[in-house]
Amino acid sequence: MNLPDAPLTGLSVGEYGELTAYEMATEVNAGRLSARETASAALSRIDRDDEELRAFTALWPSLAAERAESVDRQIRAGARLPLAGVPLAVKGTEGPTSAQSIRLIEAGCVPVGATATPGRGTRWQTWGHTDRGPTLNPFNSSWTPGGSSAGSAVAVAAKMVPLATGSDGAGSVRIPAAWCGIIGFKPTNGLVPARDRAGLNVGGPLARHVRDAAAYLDALAGTTTLGSLAPPLRALRTTWSATLGFADTKARVAETAYAFLNALADAQAVQIHEASVQLVDPAECWQSLRSSAATDTPLAVRTRESNKSELDRIFTQVDLIATPTTPCAPHGHEGPGEVMSVALTWAFNISGHPAISIPAGFTASGEPVGLHLVARRGREVDLLAVAVVAEAMGAAQPPS
């Protein structure tokens, strides 16, 4: 699957997998690597690993060659691109011509393929479909990776690419990030173009490293978070809620996420405050908004206004709300049953608040758990600051 007529590259598949997007861009901008080399290494890694994991539904070697040559030509002409030569996996429902993809390609990314999303005819969206079978969770092949940005999360977690696009209408970036042990970020609604008429579906990154997620956000939204990326200047006041007042959250998931929140408090990234969070279950509101698209029903208006008032009240007391990313652990390929994997995420697609899922460790039986942090609108920098501390603490390992 190498690029057509690609020369031998000095970048091995193993070395490629250990580079961050930021490091790749730095090397390509400096002329020490070429975009052609990074793209070739990415396609070689996908060729090696994706037969087992099934993250991709299509590869684009010709497009990758074209875009890599364009990046290398710009660099030779003196340009400096923030994501120069960074291989990018693209969510299959978006393709390379979506607004999100175009902005990332303009920043120097090289799109290498389309990633798996849920198949047709299913109510549950926490899996990925390919012609070769379902997309597999890299921690355990008997689990789904989450979704709907399923293949994107797996491609990043397995180091096939450092960055992948996702779209989050109810948690579709954050949920697979939690179940694949990576970062998933939903920006403030309106910061980037929505992908649906209801304004719920927001593009955002799947990444292994905080710096990469910040660089992605800056390229996508025109922000400047990367330049000021650092731990919080003070511990951010954070309230914990395992349920948001309505979700049926499994104890082992809540305990794992809360233990990690306490570790962040010990590291002085957050200061845990008691502030009760009692939202109205947004399920019917979300469904109404999606089906009505342009017109809020009375039910949607009541739920939205009630939750807006509650969140406005809470954010006068604290900087962040923390929950588990999902109320449940990864489920099998037969589906989740009646479990609502989106229960803790989709309220914030309605309210518009930015939210991030960061790896929080594993349950005693080895199930990956994400810590979900929600900030005031426009305060993406607070989420990234805490994520900087979390990354510095080191990745937890599944119990043996």
Side-chain angles (χ1 to χ4, degrees), residues 234-272:
R234 59 169 177 81
L236 296 173
R237 297 167 301 167
T238 303
T239 188
W240 164 259
S241 177
T243 68
L244 293 178
F246 60 85
D248 181 19
T249 304
K250 302 301 180 186
R252 67 186 187 279
V253 173
E255 289 164 2
T256 303
Y258 188 63
F260 189 71
L261 181 65
N262 273 284
L264 287 169
D266 291 341
Q268 300 184 337
V270 301
Q271 184 181 74
I272 300 175

PDB file of all heavy atoms in Angstrom, residues 234-272:
ATOM      1  N   ARG A 234      -3.674  27.769  37.938  1.00  0.00           N
ATOM      2  CA  ARG A 234      -4.208  27.415  39.256  1.00  0.00           C
ATOM      3  C   ARG A 234      -5.055  26.169  39.085  1.00  0.00           C
ATOM      4  O   ARG A 234      -5.510  25.864  37.975  1.00  0.00           O
ATOM      5  CB  ARG A 234      -5.073  28.547  39.831  1.00  0.00           C
ATOM      6  CG  ARG A 234      -6.243  28.906  38.937  1.00  0.00           C
ATOM      7  CD  ARG A 234      -7.243  29.834  39.596  1.00  0.00           C
ATOM      8  NE  ARG A 234      -8.315  30.198  38.685  1.00  0.00           N
ATOM      9  CZ  ARG A 234      -9.377  29.435  38.411  1.00  0.00           C
ATOM     10  NH1 ARG A 234      -9.505  28.259  39.016  1.00  0.00           N
ATOM     11  NH2 ARG A 234     -10.311  29.855  37.574  1.00  0.00           N
ATOM     12  N   ALA A 235      -5.247  25.460  40.168  1.00  0.00           N
ATOM     13  CA  ALA A 235      -6.099  24.273  40.100  1.00  0.00           C
ATOM     14  C   ALA A 235      -7.520  24.706  39.734  1.00  0.00           C
ATOM     15  O   ALA A 235      -8.102  25.587  40.386  1.00  0.00           O
ATOM     16  CB  ALA A 235      -6.087  23.549  41.440  1.00  0.00           C
ATOM     17  N   LEU A 236      -8.052  24.120  38.692  1.00  0.00           N
ATOM     18  CA  LEU A 236      -9.376  24.496  38.211  1.00  0.00           C
ATOM     19  C   LEU A 236     -10.467  23.854  39.063  1.00  0.00           C
ATOM     20  O   LEU A 236     -10.451  22.645  39.302  1.00  0.00           O
ATOM     21  CB  LEU A 236      -9.536  24.070  36.750  1.00  0.00           C
ATOM     22  CG  LEU A 236      -8.588  24.766  35.764  1.00  0.00           C
ATOM     23  CD1 LEU A 236      -8.704  24.145  34.378  1.00  0.00           C
ATOM     24  CD2 LEU A 236      -8.863  26.266  35.703  1.00  0.00           C
ATOM     25  N   ARG A 237     -11.384  24.672  39.511  1.00  0.00           N
ATOM     26  CA  ARG A 237     -12.483  24.184  40.358  1.00  0.00           C
ATOM     27  C   ARG A 237     -13.353  23.231  39.541  1.00  0.00           C
ATOM     28  O   ARG A 237     -13.864  23.605  38.484  1.00  0.00           O
ATOM     29  CB  ARG A 237     -13.313  25.353  40.868  1.00  0.00           C
ATOM     30  CG  ARG A 237     -12.557  26.328  41.769  1.00  0.00           C
ATOM     31  CD  ARG A 237     -13.338  27.603  41.959  1.00  0.00           C
ATOM     32  NE  ARG A 237     -13.588  28.251  40.666  1.00  0.00           N
ATOM     33  CZ  ARG A 237     -14.447  29.245  40.474  1.00  0.00           C
ATOM     34  NH1 ARG A 237     -15.196  29.681  41.480  1.00  0.00           N
ATOM     35  NH2 ARG A 237     -14.600  29.799  39.276  1.00  0.00           N
ATOM     36  N   THR A 238     -13.521  22.033  40.053  1.00  0.00           N
ATOM     37  CA  THR A 238     -14.175  20.969  39.287  1.00  0.00           C
ATOM     38  C   THR A 238     -15.173  20.235  40.158  1.00  0.00           C
ATOM     39  O   THR A 238     -14.843  19.832  41.280  1.00  0.00           O
ATOM     40  CB  THR A 238     -13.124  19.966  38.765  1.00  0.00           C
ATOM     41  OG1 THR A 238     -12.153  20.666  37.982  1.00  0.00           O
ATOM     42  CG2 THR A 238     -13.773  18.879  37.929  1.00  0.00           C
ATOM     43  N   THR A 239     -16.376  20.074  39.650  1.00  0.00           N
ATOM     44  CA  THR A 239     -17.357  19.268  40.360  1.00  0.00           C
ATOM     45  C   THR A 239     -17.525  17.932  39.663  1.00  0.00           C
ATOM     46  O   THR A 239     -17.458  17.837  38.441  1.00  0.00           O
ATOM     47  CB  THR A 239     -18.717  19.981  40.459  1.00  0.00           C
ATOM     48  OG1 THR A 239     -19.577  19.226  41.328  1.00  0.00           O
ATOM     49  CG2 THR A 239     -19.396  20.131  39.109  1.00  0.00           C
ATOM     50  N   TRP A 240     -17.730  16.904  40.461  1.00  0.00           N
ATOM     51  CA  TRP A 240     -17.866  15.531  39.957  1.00  0.00           C
ATOM     52  C   TRP A 240     -19.323  15.118  39.961  1.00  0.00           C
ATOM     53  O   TRP A 240     -20.066  15.364  40.927  1.00  0.00           O
ATOM     54  CB  TRP A 240     -17.074  14.560  40.819  1.00  0.00           C
ATOM     55  CG  TRP A 240     -17.438  13.112  40.623  1.00  0.00           C
ATOM     56  CD1 TRP A 240     -18.224  12.352  41.432  1.00  0.00           C
ATOM     57  CD2 TRP A 240     -17.022  12.268  39.544  1.00  0.00           C
ATOM     58  NE1 TRP A 240     -18.342  11.073  40.927  1.00  0.00           N
ATOM     59  CE2 TRP A 240     -17.610  10.991  39.772  1.00  0.00           C
ATOM     60  CE3 TRP A 240     -16.237  12.456  38.420  1.00  0.00           C
ATOM     61  CZ2 TRP A 240     -17.414   9.923  38.897  1.00  0.00           C
ATOM     62  CZ3 TRP A 240     -16.042  11.387  37.549  1.00  0.00           C
ATOM     63  CH2 TRP A 240     -16.616  10.135  37.797  1.00  0.00           C
ATOM     64  N   SER A 241     -19.759  14.486  38.875  1.00  0.00           N
ATOM     65  CA  SER A 241     -21.077  13.877  38.835  1.00  0.00           C
ATOM     66  C   SER A 241     -20.982  12.577  38.059  1.00  0.00           C
ATOM     67  O   SER A 241     -20.620  12.584  36.876  1.00  0.00           O
ATOM     68  CB  SER A 241     -22.109  14.802  38.166  1.00  0.00           C
ATOM     69  OG  SER A 241     -23.362  14.148  38.072  1.00  0.00           O
ATOM     70  N   ALA A 242     -21.307  11.491  38.686  1.00  0.00           N
ATOM     71  CA  ALA A 242     -21.274  10.190  37.999  1.00  0.00           C
ATOM     72  C   ALA A 242     -22.477   9.987  37.103  1.00  0.00           C
ATOM     73  O   ALA A 242     -22.433   9.151  36.190  1.00  0.00           O
ATOM     74  CB  ALA A 242     -21.215   9.066  39.028  1.00  0.00           C
ATOM     75  N   THR A 243     -23.541  10.767  37.301  1.00  0.00           N
ATOM     76  CA  THR A 243     -24.793  10.495  36.595  1.00  0.00           C
ATOM     77  C   THR A 243     -25.423  11.715  35.925  1.00  0.00           C
ATOM     78  O   THR A 243     -26.359  11.544  35.136  1.00  0.00           O
ATOM     79  CB  THR A 243     -25.838   9.932  37.568  1.00  0.00           C
ATOM     80  OG1 THR A 243     -26.222  10.968  38.498  1.00  0.00           O
ATOM     81  CG2 THR A 243     -25.300   8.724  38.333  1.00  0.00           C
ATOM     82  N   LEU A 244     -24.979  12.921  36.226  1.00  0.00           N
ATOM     83  CA  LEU A 244     -25.612  14.170  35.793  1.00  0.00           C
ATOM     84  C   LEU A 244     -27.057  14.275  36.268  1.00  0.00           C
ATOM     85  O   LEU A 244     -27.823  15.113  35.802  1.00  0.00           O
ATOM     86  CB  LEU A 244     -25.565  14.322  34.262  1.00  0.00           C
ATOM     87  CG  LEU A 244     -24.181  14.505  33.655  1.00  0.00           C
ATOM     88  CD1 LEU A 244     -24.277  14.586  32.131  1.00  0.00           C
ATOM     89  CD2 LEU A 244     -23.474  15.749  34.204  1.00  0.00           C
ATOM     90  N   GLY A 245     -27.422  13.400  37.202  1.00  0.00           N
ATOM     91  CA  GLY A 245     -28.763  13.442  37.767  1.00  0.00           C
ATOM     92  C   GLY A 245     -29.724  12.441  37.180  1.00  0.00           C
ATOM     93  O   GLY A 245     -30.859  12.329  37.660  1.00  0.00           O
ATOM     94  N   PHE A 246     -29.302  11.670  36.161  1.00  0.00           N
ATOM     95  CA  PHE A 246     -30.269  10.768  35.513  1.00  0.00           C
ATOM     96  C   PHE A 246     -29.655   9.484  34.958  1.00  0.00           C
ATOM     97  O   PHE A 246     -30.357   8.501  34.748  1.00  0.00           O
ATOM     98  CB  PHE A 246     -30.994  11.495  34.372  1.00  0.00           C
ATOM     99  CG  PHE A 246     -30.072  11.986  33.299  1.00  0.00           C
ATOM    100  CD1 PHE A 246     -29.662  11.162  32.264  1.00  0.00           C
ATOM    101  CD2 PHE A 246     -29.601  13.289  33.327  1.00  0.00           C
ATOM    102  CE1 PHE A 246     -28.804  11.614  31.284  1.00  0.00           C
ATOM    103  CE2 PHE A 246     -28.744  13.756  32.342  1.00  0.00           C
ATOM    104  CZ  PHE A 246     -28.344  12.911  31.318  1.00  0.00           C
ATOM    105  N   ALA A 247     -28.368   9.436  34.662  1.00  0.00           N
ATOM    106  CA  ALA A 247     -27.782   8.303  33.945  1.00  0.00           C
ATOM    107  C   ALA A 247     -27.606   7.094  34.860  1.00  0.00           C
ATOM    108  O   ALA A 247     -27.350   7.227  36.061  1.00  0.00           O
ATOM    109  CB  ALA A 247     -26.440   8.687  33.347  1.00  0.00           C
ATOM    110  N   ASP A 248     -27.712   5.915  34.273  1.00  0.00           N
ATOM    111  CA  ASP A 248     -27.500   4.653  34.986  1.00  0.00           C
ATOM    112  C   ASP A 248     -26.040   4.236  34.783  1.00  0.00           C
ATOM    113  O   ASP A 248     -25.727   3.400  33.935  1.00  0.00           O
ATOM    114  CB  ASP A 248     -28.458   3.584  34.449  1.00  0.00           C
ATOM    115  CG  ASP A 248     -28.290   2.252  35.170  1.00  0.00           C
ATOM    116  OD1 ASP A 248     -27.720   2.238  36.281  1.00  0.00           O
ATOM    117  OD2 ASP A 248     -28.715   1.224  34.610  1.00  0.00           O
ATOM    118  N   THR A 249     -25.153   4.836  35.563  1.00  0.00           N
ATOM    119  CA  THR A 249     -23.722   4.626  35.396  1.00  0.00           C
ATOM    120  C   THR A 249     -23.252   3.438  36.221  1.00  0.00           C
ATOM    121  O   THR A 249     -23.586   3.327  37.404  1.00  0.00           O
ATOM    122  CB  THR A 249     -22.953   5.893  35.810  1.00  0.00           C
ATOM    123  OG1 THR A 249     -23.440   7.004  35.048  1.00  0.00           O
ATOM    124  CG2 THR A 249     -21.457   5.731  35.576  1.00  0.00           C
ATOM    125  N   LYS A 250     -22.471   2.564  35.608  1.00  0.00           N
ATOM    126  CA  LYS A 250     -21.953   1.391  36.293  1.00  0.00           C
ATOM    127  C   LYS A 250     -20.916   1.808  37.333  1.00  0.00           C
ATOM    128  O   LYS A 250     -20.064   2.649  37.059  1.00  0.00           O
ATOM    129  CB  LYS A 250     -21.331   0.411  35.300  1.00  0.00           C
ATOM    130  CG  LYS A 250     -22.289  -0.058  34.207  1.00  0.00           C
ATOM    131  CD  LYS A 250     -23.512  -0.741  34.802  1.00  0.00           C
ATOM    132  CE  LYS A 250     -24.461  -1.214  33.705  1.00  0.00           C
ATOM    133  NZ  LYS A 250     -25.726  -1.761  34.278  1.00  0.00           N
ATOM    134  N   ALA A 251     -20.978   1.176  38.495  1.00  0.00           N
ATOM    135  CA  ALA A 251     -20.110   1.571  39.605  1.00  0.00           C
ATOM    136  C   ALA A 251     -18.636   1.447  39.243  1.00  0.00           C
ATOM    137  O   ALA A 251     -17.829   2.331  39.577  1.00  0.00           O
ATOM    138  CB  ALA A 251     -20.430   0.730  40.844  1.00  0.00           C
ATOM    139  N   ARG A 252     -18.257   0.374  38.552  1.00  0.00           N
ATOM    140  CA  ARG A 252     -16.832   0.175  38.266  1.00  0.00           C
ATOM    141  C   ARG A 252     -16.291   1.238  37.311  1.00  0.00           C
ATOM    142  O   ARG A 252     -15.114   1.612  37.382  1.00  0.00           O
ATOM    143  CB  ARG A 252     -16.597  -1.229  37.703  1.00  0.00           C
ATOM    144  CG  ARG A 252     -17.189  -1.499  36.324  1.00  0.00           C
ATOM    145  CD  ARG A 252     -17.013  -2.960  35.934  1.00  0.00           C
ATOM    146  NE  ARG A 252     -17.401  -3.250  34.559  1.00  0.00           N
ATOM    147  CZ  ARG A 252     -18.645  -3.440  34.153  1.00  0.00           C
ATOM    148  NH1 ARG A 252     -19.655  -3.365  35.027  1.00  0.00           N
ATOM    149  NH2 ARG A 252     -18.898  -3.716  32.877  1.00  0.00           N
ATOM    150  N   VAL A 253     -17.146   1.734  36.426  1.00  0.00           N
ATOM    151  CA  VAL A 253     -16.740   2.799  35.511  1.00  0.00           C
ATOM    152  C   VAL A 253     -16.600   4.112  36.269  1.00  0.00           C
ATOM    153  O   VAL A 253     -15.601   4.832  36.122  1.00  0.00           O
ATOM    154  CB  VAL A 253     -17.759   2.926  34.363  1.00  0.00           C
ATOM    155  CG1 VAL A 253     -17.458   4.145  33.500  1.00  0.00           C
ATOM    156  CG2 VAL A 253     -17.763   1.655  33.514  1.00  0.00           C
ATOM    157  N   ALA A 254     -17.593   4.438  37.096  1.00  0.00           N
ATOM    158  CA  ALA A 254     -17.544   5.674  37.876  1.00  0.00           C
ATOM    159  C   ALA A 254     -16.349   5.688  38.823  1.00  0.00           C
ATOM    160  O   ALA A 254     -15.655   6.702  38.962  1.00  0.00           O
ATOM    161  CB  ALA A 254     -18.844   5.847  38.660  1.00  0.00           C
ATOM    162  N   GLU A 255     -16.089   4.564  39.474  1.00  0.00           N
ATOM    163  CA  GLU A 255     -14.976   4.504  40.424  1.00  0.00           C
ATOM    164  C   GLU A 255     -13.635   4.726  39.737  1.00  0.00           C
ATOM    165  O   GLU A 255     -12.751   5.410  40.270  1.00  0.00           O
ATOM    166  CB  GLU A 255     -14.982   3.147  41.138  1.00  0.00           C
ATOM    167  CG  GLU A 255     -16.147   2.997  42.118  1.00  0.00           C
ATOM    168  CD  GLU A 255     -16.393   1.543  42.523  1.00  0.00           C
ATOM    169  OE1 GLU A 255     -15.616   0.661  42.068  1.00  0.00           O
ATOM    170  OE2 GLU A 255     -17.362   1.299  43.261  1.00  0.00           O
ATOM    171  N   THR A 256     -13.470   4.168  38.543  1.00  0.00           N
ATOM    172  CA  THR A 256     -12.212   4.329  37.812  1.00  0.00           C
ATOM    173  C   THR A 256     -12.012   5.781  37.387  1.00  0.00           C
ATOM    174  O   THR A 256     -10.923   6.352  37.547  1.00  0.00           O
ATOM    175  CB  THR A 256     -12.189   3.416  36.574  1.00  0.00           C
ATOM    176  OG1 THR A 256     -12.377   2.062  36.993  1.00  0.00           O
ATOM    177  CG2 THR A 256     -10.872   3.530  35.822  1.00  0.00           C
ATOM    178  N   ALA A 257     -13.062   6.394  36.852  1.00  0.00           N
ATOM    179  CA  ALA A 257     -12.957   7.791  36.421  1.00  0.00           C
ATOM    180  C   ALA A 257     -12.727   8.716  37.606  1.00  0.00           C
ATOM    181  O   ALA A 257     -11.909   9.649  37.533  1.00  0.00           O
ATOM    182  CB  ALA A 257     -14.217   8.195  35.663  1.00  0.00           C
ATOM    183  N   TYR A 258     -13.426   8.457  38.719  1.00  0.00           N
ATOM    184  CA  TYR A 258     -13.270   9.332  39.886  1.00  0.00           C
ATOM    185  C   TYR A 258     -11.884   9.189  40.507  1.00  0.00           C
ATOM    186  O   TYR A 258     -11.307  10.181  40.989  1.00  0.00           O
ATOM    187  CB  TYR A 258     -14.350   9.021  40.928  1.00  0.00           C
ATOM    188  CG  TYR A 258     -14.369  10.000  42.074  1.00  0.00           C
ATOM    189  CD1 TYR A 258     -14.650  11.339  41.855  1.00  0.00           C
ATOM    190  CD2 TYR A 258     -14.103   9.575  43.379  1.00  0.00           C
ATOM    191  CE1 TYR A 258     -14.670  12.246  42.909  1.00  0.00           C
ATOM    192  CE2 TYR A 258     -14.117  10.473  44.436  1.00  0.00           C
ATOM    193  CZ  TYR A 258     -14.402  11.810  44.191  1.00  0.00           C
ATOM    194  OH  TYR A 258     -14.408  12.707  45.231  1.00  0.00           O
ATOM    195  N   ALA A 259     -11.338   8.006  40.496  1.00  0.00           N
ATOM    196  CA  ALA A 259      -9.976   7.816  41.016  1.00  0.00           C
ATOM    197  C   ALA A 259      -8.980   8.630  40.200  1.00  0.00           C
ATOM    198  O   ALA A 259      -8.040   9.226  40.746  1.00  0.00           O
ATOM    199  CB  ALA A 259      -9.606   6.331  40.987  1.00  0.00           C
ATOM    200  N   PHE A 260      -9.181   8.680  38.888  1.00  0.00           N
ATOM    201  CA  PHE A 260      -8.268   9.463  38.063  1.00  0.00           C
ATOM    202  C   PHE A 260      -8.456  10.955  38.308  1.00  0.00           C
ATOM    203  O   PHE A 260      -7.479  11.721  38.314  1.00  0.00           O
ATOM    204  CB  PHE A 260      -8.474   9.135  36.587  1.00  0.00           C
ATOM    205  CG  PHE A 260      -7.442   9.737  35.697  1.00  0.00           C
ATOM    206  CD1 PHE A 260      -6.137   9.251  35.698  1.00  0.00           C
ATOM    207  CD2 PHE A 260      -7.744  10.797  34.865  1.00  0.00           C
ATOM    208  CE1 PHE A 260      -5.167   9.809  34.888  1.00  0.00           C
ATOM    209  CE2 PHE A 260      -6.787  11.360  34.042  1.00  0.00           C
ATOM    210  CZ  PHE A 260      -5.488  10.865  34.059  1.00  0.00           C
ATOM    211  N   LEU A 261      -9.703  11.391  38.513  1.00  0.00           N
ATOM    212  CA  LEU A 261      -9.937  12.788  38.852  1.00  0.00           C
ATOM    213  C   LEU A 261      -9.213  13.150  40.149  1.00  0.00           C
ATOM    214  O   LEU A 261      -8.613  14.233  40.263  1.00  0.00           O
ATOM    215  CB  LEU A 261     -11.437  13.059  38.990  1.00  0.00           C
ATOM    216  CG  LEU A 261     -11.824  14.496  39.325  1.00  0.00           C
ATOM    217  CD1 LEU A 261     -11.452  15.438  38.185  1.00  0.00           C
ATOM    218  CD2 LEU A 261     -13.319  14.599  39.630  1.00  0.00           C
ATOM    219  N   ASN A 262      -9.232  12.254  41.114  1.00  0.00           N
ATOM    220  CA  ASN A 262      -8.511  12.507  42.364  1.00  0.00           C
ATOM    221  C   ASN A 262      -7.008  12.583  42.133  1.00  0.00           C
ATOM    222  O   ASN A 262      -6.307  13.378  42.777  1.00  0.00           O
ATOM    223  CB  ASN A 262      -8.834  11.424  43.387  1.00  0.00           C
ATOM    224  CG  ASN A 262     -10.085  11.747  44.181  1.00  0.00           C
ATOM    225  OD1 ASN A 262     -10.067  12.592  45.072  1.00  0.00           O
ATOM    226  ND2 ASN A 262     -11.188  11.099  43.854  1.00  0.00           N
ATOM    227  N   ALA A 263      -6.490  11.762  41.210  1.00  0.00           N
ATOM    228  CA  ALA A 263      -5.066  11.847  40.875  1.00  0.00           C
ATOM    229  C   ALA A 263      -4.735  13.201  40.253  1.00  0.00           C
ATOM    230  O   ALA A 263      -3.673  13.780  40.527  1.00  0.00           O
ATOM    231  CB  ALA A 263      -4.685  10.710  39.930  1.00  0.00           C
ATOM    232  N   LEU A 264      -5.628  13.727  39.433  1.00  0.00           N
ATOM    233  CA  LEU A 264      -5.423  15.062  38.874  1.00  0.00           C
ATOM    234  C   LEU A 264      -5.473  16.134  39.962  1.00  0.00           C
ATOM    235  O   LEU A 264      -4.750  17.140  39.892  1.00  0.00           O
ATOM    236  CB  LEU A 264      -6.486  15.350  37.809  1.00  0.00           C
ATOM    237  CG  LEU A 264      -6.328  14.613  36.483  1.00  0.00           C
ATOM    238  CD1 LEU A 264      -7.580  14.784  35.633  1.00  0.00           C
ATOM    239  CD2 LEU A 264      -5.103  15.113  35.728  1.00  0.00           C
ATOM    240  N   ALA A 265      -6.311  15.914  40.959  1.00  0.00           N
ATOM    241  CA  ALA A 265      -6.343  16.843  42.091  1.00  0.00           C
ATOM    242  C   ALA A 265      -5.030  16.783  42.871  1.00  0.00           C
ATOM    243  O   ALA A 265      -4.491  17.822  43.278  1.00  0.00           O
ATOM    244  CB  ALA A 265      -7.533  16.524  42.998  1.00  0.00           C
ATOM    245  N   ASP A 266      -4.499  15.592  43.065  1.00  0.00           N
ATOM    246  CA  ASP A 266      -3.203  15.451  43.745  1.00  0.00           C
ATOM    247  C   ASP A 266      -2.099  16.156  42.965  1.00  0.00           C
ATOM    248  O   ASP A 266      -1.139  16.671  43.550  1.00  0.00           O
ATOM    249  CB  ASP A 266      -2.851  13.975  43.928  1.00  0.00           C
ATOM    250  CG  ASP A 266      -3.750  13.269  44.930  1.00  0.00           C
ATOM    251  OD1 ASP A 266      -4.400  13.963  45.733  1.00  0.00           O
ATOM    252  OD2 ASP A 266      -3.814  12.018  44.892  1.00  0.00           O
ATOM    253  N   ALA A 267      -2.235  16.175  41.632  1.00  0.00           N
ATOM    254  CA  ALA A 267      -1.245  16.837  40.772  1.00  0.00           C
ATOM    255  C   ALA A 267      -1.523  18.335  40.640  1.00  0.00           C
ATOM    256  O   ALA A 267      -0.835  19.029  39.885  1.00  0.00           O
ATOM    257  CB  ALA A 267      -1.235  16.184  39.396  1.00  0.00           C
ATOM    258  N   GLN A 268      -2.533  18.829  41.346  1.00  0.00           N
ATOM    259  CA  GLN A 268      -2.892  20.251  41.397  1.00  0.00           C
ATOM    260  C   GLN A 268      -3.383  20.801  40.058  1.00  0.00           C
ATOM    261  O   GLN A 268      -3.286  21.992  39.795  1.00  0.00           O
ATOM    262  CB  GLN A 268      -1.722  21.084  41.939  1.00  0.00           C
ATOM    263  CG  GLN A 268      -1.316  20.671  43.339  1.00  0.00           C
ATOM    264  CD  GLN A 268      -0.215  21.537  43.929  1.00  0.00           C
ATOM    265  OE1 GLN A 268       0.546  22.178  43.209  1.00  0.00           O
ATOM    266  NE2 GLN A 268      -0.126  21.561  45.240  1.00  0.00           N
ATOM    267  N   ALA A 269      -3.922  19.921  39.220  1.00  0.00           N
ATOM    268  CA  ALA A 269      -4.559  20.385  37.994  1.00  0.00           C
ATOM    269  C   ALA A 269      -5.988  20.830  38.257  1.00  0.00           C
ATOM    270  O   ALA A 269      -6.488  21.764  37.615  1.00  0.00           O
ATOM    271  CB  ALA A 269      -4.547  19.284  36.943  1.00  0.00           C
ATOM    272  N   VAL A 270      -6.662  20.147  39.181  1.00  0.00           N
ATOM    273  CA  VAL A 270      -8.040  20.470  39.532  1.00  0.00           C
ATOM    274  C   VAL A 270      -8.179  20.535  41.039  1.00  0.00           C
ATOM    275  O   VAL A 270      -7.359  19.990  41.792  1.00  0.00           O
ATOM    276  CB  VAL A 270      -9.038  19.433  38.959  1.00  0.00           C
ATOM    277  CG1 VAL A 270      -8.934  19.350  37.446  1.00  0.00           C
ATOM    278  CG2 VAL A 270      -8.839  18.062  39.588  1.00  0.00           C
ATOM    279  N   GLN A 271      -9.220  21.190  41.460  1.00  0.00           N
ATOM    280  CA  GLN A 271      -9.619  21.222  42.873  1.00  0.00           C
ATOM    281  C   GLN A 271     -11.080  20.801  42.917  1.00  0.00           C
ATOM    282  O   GLN A 271     -11.944  21.450  42.325  1.00  0.00           O
ATOM    283  CB  GLN A 271      -9.440  22.633  43.448  1.00  0.00           C
ATOM    284  CG  GLN A 271      -9.728  22.735  44.933  1.00  0.00           C
ATOM    285  CD  GLN A 271      -9.542  24.165  45.416  1.00  0.00           C
ATOM    286  OE1 GLN A 271     -10.382  25.024  45.144  1.00  0.00           O
ATOM    287  NE2 GLN A 271      -8.446  24.426  46.104  1.00  0.00           N
ATOM    288  N   ILE A 272     -11.349  19.696  43.583  1.00  0.00           N
ATOM    289  CA  ILE A 272     -12.695  19.128  43.554  1.00  0.00           C
ATOM    290  C   ILE A 272     -13.614  19.901  44.494  1.00  0.00           C
ATOM    291  O   ILE A 272     -13.303  20.080  45.679  1.00  0.00           O
ATOM    292  CB  ILE A 272     -12.656  17.632  43.916  1.00  0.00           C
ATOM    293  CG1 ILE A 272     -11.782  16.876  42.906  1.00  0.00           C
ATOM    294  CG2 ILE A 272     -14.068  17.049  43.931  1.00  0.00           C
ATOM    295  CD1 ILE A 272     -11.579  15.415  43.229  1.00  0.00           C
TER     296      ILE A 272
END
